[in-house]
Amino acid sequence: MCVIDLTQIKASRSCRHPLNSILLNAAFFGSVGSSFLYGYNLSVVNAPASYIKTFYNKTWIDRYNEPIGDGTVTLLWSVTVSIFAIGGLVGALTVSFLIKVLGRKGTLLANNGLALIAALLLALGETAGSFEMLIIGRFIIGMDSGVSLSVLPMYLGEISPRQVRGSIGQFHSIFICLGVFIGQVLGLPEILGQESRWNFLFGFLALPALLQLCVLPFLPESPRFLLMERRDEAGAEKAFQAFLGRSDVSRELEEVHAESRAQNTQRTASVLELFRKRSLRWQLITVIVVMSCYQLCGLNAIWYYTNGILQNAGFQPTVIPYITLSTGGIETLAAVISGLVIEKVGRRPLLIFGFSAMAVFFSLLTVFLHYQDRFSWMPYLSFTSILLLIASFCSGPGGVPFVLTGELFEQSYRPAAFMIAGTVNWLSNFAVGLLFPYIQEALQTFAFLLFVVVCVAGAVYLLLVLPETKNKTFMEISQSFSKINGIPDQTQEREMKDALDTAATNGLQCAEVEMESSF
């Protein structure tokens, strides 16, 4: 009879560097056709705004033989901008169904169809004399973003070894920031920010989508999805081998089998089941809080002030577009640095630091804006505060929430969790766009103090509730919430069961059992 010593059932920490070309290509090309497009669409409408309004007026005259009213053009423009968030919400609500039918990679590939349709509608709207095409195109590209913002982080989290899961997950944030920056660059007057070229800004949407369509089919599907949901062990083994760069992946396969046995289910759970699951209560609350703070922390509202602050600082309007490039550059640089340090610093410190720093710089910005008209040099301090705010956001709150959403839930509950996170994200996005102009009108420069409250509340919550998740398996992360959820820790019982199962499977009489893997 074999006696298995639990002290011997320990983590097998691989010293081998877990990065390889296939993993990096999956992260790069997955992000190009997903996160990049989302970021690009956040900034691309700013440069051609006046030209689009002129197009609306011209189309109105051609149809009705009279100029469009100021209220009507404002309404049409507001709908054009804000319907992006409505499309995002619709896309997020479809994620659970899509990934069940198409898988992670399959959903990303199919999602490119929406990007191509949107690119055609947006690029050809002027030629067709139809502002409705622009509005519908913005809605469709919003749907594309709603799907990709949930599916890509899920895919990256499931294909990444835990030693680099945070860094690979930060590709999502980096490419959002890069998309914002490229949108600003292409919108310059010397490039595509002209009345005769603004439709090419939207036609550019097709390029990243086509690039992803050309490469992603040749990269593996999520091995966890293949094994746990499709029951395709051979396909999962090949995917693990590709992403890990080695042939022996037996430990990774066993870890996923152990997680599957622990969940006692082979099917994807619904949103309602997730809400009812007591053992996941605080994981769900944490995701809702973090995703709410991601949008309600006020970064989107910053863009309302940037141009005005630069004008008050004495910069010429023709120079301002070039100066605002610094905001996109700072975003991208901070996201890259965050991706480089996340596995050393951890998710929790980056989030707490990011929200805390934003609270400080929002407070300073409020003071600087209040005294902006009294001192000629005060606008420069205001703009510096804006740059530091952006850097603080991208250091943690800009990307880590998506990494966390994938880490806090085991396989069967992950799609429902991302659907909830996406819904909270897009509803919060829409609320900020809808309500902030009224808040700003009522409170003036003190409007930013509301964001101070949100950032402080988010930092305090994370300090009190969130455990560190770096370098942990998905099962270990779930078990770290056992105490706060009021669930007895079943760690030893699970380890014993998994050890016995593994020993029986391998036909071992007596051996040391390794229970952990790169994933």
Side-chain angles (χ1 to χ4, degrees):
M1 179 177 180
C2 176
V3 178
I4 300 179
D5 187 355
L6 281 177
T7 61
Q8 293 181 340
I9 304 175
K10 57 184 182 287
S12 178
R13 310 293 183 184
S14 175
C15 297
R16 188 179 308 174
H17 202 285
L19 287 174
N20 66 67
S21 60
I22 294 179
L23 179 62
L24 290 174
N25 279 329
F28 180 88
F29 289 103
S31 300
V32 162
S34 304
S35 311
F36 179 88
L37 283 180
Y38 169 69
Y40 184 81
N41 279 284
L42 291 179
S43 64
V44 72
V45 295
N46 295 329
S50 60
Y51 305 135
I52 294 175
K53 292 176 183 177
T54 300
F55 161 65
Y56 286 176
N57 185 53
K58 180 179 180 299
T59 303
W60 196 272
I61 292 174
D62 291 342
R63 290 184 184 181
Y64 306 110
N65 296 318
E66 62 180 17
I68 193 171
D70 291 339
T72 304
V73 73
T74 301
L75 175 63
L76 285 175
W77 176 245
S78 298
V79 170
T80 304
V81 174
S82 62
I83 204 168
F84 176 72
I86 302 298
L89 176 60
V90 173
L93 291 173
T94 66
V95 164
S96 184
F97 169 76
L98 289 175
I99 61 174
K100 182 178 180 179
V101 175
L102 302 175
R104 278 62 163 159
K105 188 184 79 168
T107 300
L108 289 175
L109 287 170
N111 200 37
N112 287 302
L114 292 177
L116 294 175
I117 293 170
L120 287 173
L121 289 171
L122 291 164
L124 300 177
E126 183 187 28
T127 304
S130 171
F131 54 74
E132 293 89 351
M133 289 176 64
L134 267 65
I135 294 172
I136 295 172
R138 284 283 292 176
F139 175 79
I140 292 175
I141 198 63
M143 288 181 61
D144 171 271
S145 296
V147 172
S148 64
L149 256 62
S150 293
V151 179
L152 180 69
M154 196 185 313
Y155 179 62
L156 296 182
E158 291 181 6
I159 68 174
S160 306
R162 56 189 167 83
Q163 299 94 331
V164 293
R165 194 166 57 223
S167 296
I168 294 297
Q170 283 294 87
F171 270 73
H172 176 62
S173 175
I174 292 169
F175 275 82
I176 289 176
C177 298
L178 188 61
V180 171
F181 182 64
I182 296 299
Q184 292 173 333
V185 171
L186 295 182
L188 293 174
E190 291 80 4
I191 306 179
L192 298 178
Q194 298 181 17
E195 189 168 10
S196 60
R197 300 178 185 174
W198 65 264
N199 51 346
F200 292 106
L201 279 170
F202 296 111
F204 178 80
L205 293 171
L207 185 59
L210 289 172
L211 189 60
Q212 189 183 85
L213 276 173
C214 291
V215 177
L216 203 59
F218 300 100
L219 297 171
E221 174 61 275
S222 161
R224 301 180 70 86
F225 168 78
L226 291 172
L227 187 56
M228 295 184 72
E229 299 182 38
R230 290 283 170 86
R231 317 309 299 163
D232 181 4
E233 184 146 359
E237 182 177 7
K238 291 180 181 178
F240 271 130
Q241 290 170 341
F243 288 127
L244 291 174
R246 52 183 167 84
S247 58
D248 183 9
V249 293
S250 56
R251 287 178 300 169
E252 284 71 28
L253 290 169
E254 175 52 33
E255 186 221 322
V256 179
H257 279 305
E259 181 181 334
S260 179
R261 291 192 296 269
Q263 292 182 79
N264 295 318
T265 179
Q266 304 299 333
R267 63 181 182 82
T268 301
S270 68
V271 170
L272 187 59
E273 288 173 321
L274 177 54
F275 274 109
R276 289 175 174 172
K277 188 75 172 178
R278 181 185 171 192
S279 62
L280 297 175
R281 180 181 302 160
W282 281 97
Q283 292 95 309
L284 183 59
I285 293 173
T286 299
V287 164
I288 291 173
V289 169
V290 172
M291 293 307 297
S292 297
C293 291
Y294 170 76
Q295 288 292 348
L296 300 178
C297 67
L299 190 77
N300 289 342
I302 283 295
W303 306 116
Y304 288 103
Y305 266 85
T306 304
N307 286 352
I309 290 171
L310 291 174
Q311 289 174 2
N312 291 332
F315 292 102
Q316 295 297 320
T318 54
V319 179
I320 288 176
Y322 302 94
I323 299 175
T324 54
L325 286 179
S326 60
T327 60
I330 286 291
E331 273 191 307
T332 306
L333 179 62
V336 170
I337 293 173
S338 176
L340 293 174
V341 304
I342 189 172
E343 297 300 347
K344 293 182 179 179
V345 176
R347 286 72 155 145
R348 185 171 178 267
L350 285 178
L351 280 172
I352 295 171
F353 166 79
F355 282 126
S356 301
M358 290 185 73
V360 171
F361 293 126
F362 267 128
S363 301
L364 291 175
L365 180 61
T366 300
V367 174
F368 296 151
L369 288 174
H370 187 68
Y371 292 103
Q372 185 161 282
D373 296 332
R374 302 188 186 184
F375 304 98
S376 60
W377 42 268
M378 195 63 75
Y380 295 95
L381 293 180
S382 299
F383 186 64
T384 301
S385 296
I386 286 176
L387 292 180
L388 292 173
L389 267 166
I390 293 170
S392 300
F393 176 79
C394 291
S395 67
V400 177
F402 297 97
V403 176
L404 268 184
T405 303
E407 290 183 328
L408 296 186
F409 298 89
E410 294 177 352
Q411 188 79 14
S412 62
Y413 291 96
R414 197 170 294 133
F418 268 101
M419 193 167 81
I420 294 170
T423 301
V424 171
N425 174 42
W426 289 102
L427 284 176
S428 301
N429 181 307
F430 183 73
V432 171
L434 181 67
L435 299 177
F436 181 75
Y438 299 101
I439 296 173
Q440 189 269 326
E441 184 178 350
L443 300 179
Q444 298 298 317
T445 56
F446 295 104
F448 289 118
L449 293 179
L450 293 176
F451 301 130
V452 173
V453 174
V454 172
C455 291
V456 170
V460 170
Y461 175 88
L462 294 167
L463 182 65
L464 296 176
V465 175
L466 182 67
E468 182 51 65
T469 62
K470 72 171 183 177
N471 205 28
K472 291 183 179 180
T473 66
F474 295 118
M475 288 180 66
E476 288 174 334
I477 294 168
S478 289
Q479 291 158 8
S480 66
F481 277 91
S482 295
K483 184 176 181 180
I484 192 172
N485 282 321
I487 304 297
D489 189 356
Q490 303 295 325
T491 303
Q492 284 196 338
E493 182 180 335
R494 282 184 178 182
E495 286 182 338
M496 173 64 83
K497 180 179 184 297
D498 293 341
L500 292 172
D501 288 343
T502 304
T505 300
N506 294 332
L508 300 177
Q509 296 300 316
C510 187
E512 176 180 346
V513 184
E514 296 180 338
M515 289 307 303
E516 292 190 27
S517 68
S518 298
F519 283 72

